[in-house]
Amino acid sequence: MGVYGNYLYVSDITRVVKIEIASGKIVETVEIPGSSFLNDITIDDQGNVYVSDSNGNAIYMIRSGKSELLIKSAQINGVNGLFYKDGSLLAGTQDRIVKINLINKEIRDYILNTGGIDGLVPDGSGNYIISDWLGNVHLVHPDNPKVKLLDTTPVNANAADIEYVIDKRLLLVPTFSDNRVVAYELR
C-alpha cells in the first residue's frame, strides 16, 4: 500500500486500486496487463505509483491512471519491497537491494547479502529496515553489516510488509498468521 494526498493505493494481484481515504470508497482501478503477482507500492513526489511484480521480475509505473512496464529484468528476481528516493527506486529482491535510476533504467547493486526482502523502509538516519516473510527484521546500510532487530520465527509470526514511523521510532509489523499488527519501539 502507499498513500499520496488523500488517496490510498493498494496492489491487488493484477491491478492497483485507488481509494479515497476519507470515504473509504474505491475511486479508480488500474489493471496492469502482463502482471502476475503485484506486491509492494511506493509513490514519488509527483504522485507516480510504482508497484513490484514479484513473480514477473518486473516493476510497473502508474502515471495519471495509466500503467506501463517500467523495468523487467532477472536482476530484480523476486522483487518485492520498494522505496522511492531522490529520483531512484530502491528495490528489495531475493538477496539484495538494488538501486534503479528512473531516467536511464540502470540497475546497480546497493546493499548485498540481505536475504529475501518483503518490506523496505527508511529509518530516518540513513539506514533501511527490511523484513522477510519468515519473521526476521533487520537494519541495513550499504557500508555496514546487517543487524537483526527482530526474530518472530520461533512463534511462527510472519513479518510481512512493514512501516516505520520515524518521529515516534515505531516499527509496525503485520503478522498474517495470527491476524494482528504488532508495534515495536526502536531505541
Side-chain angles (χ1 to χ4, degrees):
M1 294 184 286
V3 173
Y4 186 79
N6 298 320
Y7 299 98
L8 173 68
Y9 294 84
V10 179
S11 66
D12 183 22
I13 310 299
T14 60
R15 63 188 185 157
V16 172
V17 178
K18 181 179 179 182
I19 301 166
E20 183 181 52
I21 294 171
S23 68
K25 292 188 186 233
I26 294 173
V27 296
E28 184 177 32
T29 299
V30 179
E31 297 293 333
I32 312 288
S35 65
S36 60
F37 190 74
L38 297 177
N39 213 319
D40 200 19
I41 286 179
T42 192
I43 304 171
D44 68 20
D45 300 330
Q46 290 76 44
N48 297 312
V49 176
Y50 303 89
V51 59
S52 59
D53 183 357
S54 296
N55 289 349
N57 300 334
I59 299 171
Y60 293 87
M61 181 175 76
I62 300 170
R63 180 187 351 234
S64 302
K66 305 283 187 221
S67 70
E68 65 183 80
L69 176 64
L70 179 70
I71 194 160
K72 183 176 181 71
S73 171
Q75 288 179 277
I76 56 172
N77 186 28
V79 65
N80 189 340
L82 296 177
F83 178 68
Y84 172 83
K85 179 182 178 185
D86 302 328
S88 294
L89 201 57
L90 299 182
T93 68
Q94 291 183 345
D95 64 352
R96 69 191 64 217
I97 296 172
V98 297
K99 190 172 194 176
I100 303 168
N101 181 309
L102 290 174
I103 295 171
N104 64 17
K105 311 293 190 311
E106 176 187 53
I107 302 170
R108 67 177 182 84
D109 289 340
Y110 186 59
I111 302 175
L112 301 175
N113 303 313
T114 59
I117 296 174
D118 196 323
L120 168 62
V121 294
D123 77 343
S125 298
N127 304 298
Y128 296 92
I129 302 170
I130 58 172
S131 63
D132 68 26
W133 176 251
L134 298 174
N136 297 294
V137 177
H138 289 91
L139 186 71
V140 296
H141 185 277
D143 301 324
N144 301 320
K146 70 180 181 179
V147 175
K148 187 172 276 195
L149 300 175
L150 180 65
D151 180 358
T152 61
T153 60
V155 294
N156 295 318
N158 306 98
D161 202 355
I162 55 176
E163 186 60 56
Y164 185 62
V165 183
I166 293 171
D167 61 334
K168 296 189 183 297
R169 301 181 58 94
L170 197 62
L171 177 66
L172 304 173
V173 181
T175 62
F176 269 70
S177 61
D178 59 358
N179 295 317
R180 60 191 177 124
V181 175
V182 182
Y184 299 91
E185 184 178 2
L186 299 185
R187 298 186 190 269

